[in-house]
Amino acid sequence: MMGRVLGLCAAGLLVACGDAPAPKTETTPNTGPEAAAAPAEPYPETLRRRASAVFGVLPDEAANANNPVTEEKIVLGRMLYYDPRLSKNQDISCNSCHALDAFGVDGEATSPGHQAQRGDRNSPTVYNAALHFSQFWDGRAADVEEQAKGPVLNPVEMAMPDEESVLVVLNSIPGYPPMFAAAFPDDEDPVTFDNMANAIAAFERRLMTPSRFDAYLEGEASALTPQEVAGLEAFFETGCIQCHVGPTLGGISFQKIGRNVPYPTDDQGRFRVTGNEPDRFFFKVPSLRNVAKTGPWFHNGGVDSLPEAVRLMGKHQLGQELTPDQVETIVVFLGSLTGEVDQVYIATPELPESGPETPAPDPS
């Protein structure tokens, strides 16, 4: 779904809370009793071990005990994700703005919704998003289950008038009620708005994109090129890891856009949700997974060059004027975060046919 308020760092890329200490470039000393016999660990391995501790490894699934993933939910959720009949004019699906065959984005600064309306925030990728600590740029949804409900009822996005209207559509399509019953066998009335969202979320919880970077973190040092390793070192040295950490390299905190140098934006960020002054201009730090494929970048999609995004974040978030070489080497490293998409898992399903009672599109 469009989720335009769901990319790159605290409304941009590489936002950092402060400078991180630069990793040492000499070999690691061995001061134990076996020092005379054991050679010092080479620096590249020290860097790899440090990166493994900071980022961890991307899991196969973002599990939720309150919504266990089952094959029945996945099959149903995949269909719902692709089904435009969940929109008022039956022309917009989740996949319209989060295209699974394009790394989960539509490549636009902001996405067109009902009657070509556009919001004011970029639609970020859905891949790996279930691992984030909250959803939307302002964090107003706790998880993908809650997030999946928002765009369907948003008048600018899919524009369905209310939950009941969604249920009328779902119940009117003969193929859906049996699928809901299979996915939610313990529910007396399984076709509900919550279950629609739970099925979509279950499907999304396995939208993971492991990359060569994960192989590197797990011990395969040759998985990254020397240039990418140098970019990883620069990523540490410039302080990017202060916010871009964990398996998704982000998505676990809010940060202020323009922390060191004010960033020109009228968007008040999380303040629009909480009304708390300390939240003004704060946004969720997005994941850097697949970042080379998910532009344009920042909360408003206002930057269409990844090197420029890196340069601007160095200035506004780190308070540094990054050199062209620093920008270039960080961008090279970011390319190693482009992951593998399971083409079978995301294959467009054959949707169940509409029934005679299925409401017609409403272009109003």
Side-chain angles (χ1 to χ4, degrees):
M1 49 234 72
M2 296 167 62
R4 55 177 60 87
V5 287
L6 176 89
L8 283 167
C9 201
L13 170 73
L14 307 180
V15 63
C17 305
D19 293 343
K24 295 182 182 298
T25 56
E26 69 272 11
T27 57
T28 302
N30 184 347
T31 58
E34 69 284 3
E41 185 176 74
Y43 169 66
E45 178 61 12
T46 302
L47 177 64
R48 190 201 64 76
R49 289 179 181 274
R50 185 183 182 195
S52 182
V54 168
F55 302 117
V57 177
L58 192 73
D60 295 331
E61 174 187 309
N64 178 4
N66 295 320
N67 183 31
V69 175
T70 65
E71 289 304 313
E72 291 80 6
K73 287 181 185 177
I74 289 173
V75 171
L76 174 59
R78 182 188 294 113
M79 288 189 176
L80 296 172
Y81 188 93
Y82 279 96
D83 201 330
R85 290 170 293 187
L86 298 183
S87 66
K88 185 175 183 180
N89 203 24
Q90 300 184 14
D91 59 351
I92 296 171
S93 70
C94 304
N95 195 63
S96 298
C97 303
H98 300 283
L100 296 182
D101 62 353
F103 288 94
V105 299
D106 61 5
E108 303 208 29
T110 60
S111 300
H114 182 64
Q115 295 185 325
Q117 298 177 89
R118 291 179 184 263
D120 57 359
R121 288 178 179 162
N122 177 256
S123 296
T125 179
V126 70
Y127 281 110
N128 311 299
L131 292 169
H132 294 189
F133 83 124
S134 64
Q135 302 296 317
F136 295 116
W137 281 103
D138 52 24
R140 68 179 184 273
D143 50 34
V144 287
E145 283 79 8
E146 184 178 354
Q147 188 276 333
K149 302 175 185 179
V152 176
L153 302 182
N154 188 309
V156 176
E157 301 184 39
M158 297 168 78
M160 290 296 274
D162 49 44
E163 295 182 11
E164 183 57 35
S165 299
V166 177
L167 298 184
V168 168
V169 171
L170 292 173
N171 280 301
S172 74
I173 300 172
Y176 273 141
M179 295 180 67
F180 272 85
F184 303 96
D186 296 330
D187 290 9
E188 182 176 348
D189 182 10
V191 184
T192 68
F193 192 70
D194 283 350
N195 283 347
M196 175 207 72
N198 287 340
I200 293 172
F203 169 65
E204 292 178 343
R205 287 185 173 279
R206 288 190 182 170
L207 288 176
M208 301 296 156
T209 57
S211 71
R212 289 183 295 110
F213 185 58
D214 295 287
Y216 172 81
L217 295 176
E218 291 182 302
E220 188 180 334
S222 62
L224 298 189
T225 67
Q227 293 79 12
E228 289 167 340
V229 172
L232 172 61
E233 182 177 2
F235 193 81
F236 273 91
E237 288 178 338
T238 54
C240 306
I241 63 164
Q242 292 297 308
C243 296
H244 288 288
V245 296
T248 58
L249 288 82
I252 62 173
S253 66
F254 298 112
Q255 292 297 330
K256 183 179 181 179
I257 181 69
R259 176 184 179 273
N260 280 286
V261 176
Y263 187 85
T265 180
D266 293 328
D267 193 327
Q268 303 296 299
R270 187 157 169 74
F271 176 80
R272 280 164 46 171
V273 175
T274 68
N276 297 327
E277 186 59 34
D279 290 332
R280 196 180 296 275
F281 301 123
F282 273 71
F283 296 84
K284 185 183 70 173
V285 177
S287 165
L288 296 185
R289 292 275 179 175
N290 304 309
V291 68
K293 302 292 186 179
T294 55
W297 298 276
F298 294 18
H299 61 291
N300 59 359
V303 177
D304 59 9
S305 161
L306 186 54
E308 178 65 1
V310 172
R311 186 191 71 80
L312 288 172
M313 288 296 100
K315 173 182 177 180
H316 294 281
Q317 303 308 129
L318 304 173
Q320 301 178 37
E321 290 293 340
L322 299 179
T323 68
D325 284 347
Q326 284 177 309
V327 171
E328 181 180 1
T329 192
I330 290 173
V331 169
V332 168
F333 162 65
L334 294 177
S336 75
L337 303 177
T338 300
E340 301 173 5
V341 174
D342 185 338
Q343 297 297 328
V344 174
Y345 189 76
I346 68 164
T348 304
E350 182 178 350
L351 300 178
E353 295 183 1
S354 296
E357 303 303 320
T358 300
D362 181 357
S364 64

